[in-house]
Amino acid sequence: DRAAVRRTLVDRAYKICSSWELFHGEVEKIVEMLSNNGYSKNFTYSIINKEITNKVNTTEKLVHEGPEKFKVYFKLPYIGDISSKVKQCISKDLPGKCQLIYLNSYS
């Protein structure tokens, strides 16, 4: 069944993608790959739309299948302006993934 191939690929992409942006990119790759193998783009998009509608209506959510993520805490001494610069660098490179805890002494 040619439709089953499309549904399986979309379902797999839905399960492994951790965001709608990644899922969209994966769907575009699927459509291009199937098109290159002689599958109709219009029929492929209709199946994709049905699959997405079905998943959204059954309140399934995109869930990352990898390891559980935890926030990382760094315990650092407070050293005035240097501490602020460190915080800016970490916040820019790792937004929401870590928390700095400043100490008044070097304990």
Side-chain angles (χ1 to χ4, degrees):
D1 180 10
R2 298 185 108 200
V5 170
R6 296 170 178 129
R7 281 193 303 271
T8 300
L9 291 171
V10 171
D11 184 58
R12 181 183 178 279
Y14 185 84
K15 287 179 179 175
I16 65 171
C17 292
S18 60
S19 71
W20 285 109
E21 182 180 354
L22 291 173
F23 177 70
H24 177 73
E26 195 65 25
V27 165
E28 291 302 315
K29 290 176 189 173
I30 290 168
V31 170
E32 190 63 31
M33 178 195 60
L34 291 172
S35 176
N36 290 341
N37 285 287
Y39 289 81
S40 160
K41 280 189 177 186
N42 288 337
F43 188 57
T44 299
Y45 277 119
S46 71
I47 289 175
I48 290 168
N49 286 333
K50 286 178 188 176
E51 284 298 303
I52 293 171
T53 300
N54 183 40
K55 290 187 181 312
V56 170
N57 287 342
T58 58
T59 65
E60 289 187 40
K61 305 288 184 227
L62 280 178
V63 177
H64 183 67
E65 295 286 330
E68 187 175 347
K69 294 184 172 125
F70 296 97
K71 187 176 262 194
V72 176
Y73 293 89
F74 292 100
K75 194 174 178 182
L76 302 172
Y78 182 77
I79 310 172
D81 289 339
I82 294 173
S83 296
S84 298
K85 289 177 184 176
V86 168
K87 183 176 183 177
Q88 286 175 345
C89 290
I90 290 176
S91 296
K92 183 179 88 174
D93 294 336
L94 302 167
K97 296 179 183 174
C98 65
Q99 178 72 42
L100 296 179
I101 300 169
Y102 293 114
L103 306 172
N104 289 333
S105 64
Y106 295 98
S107 57

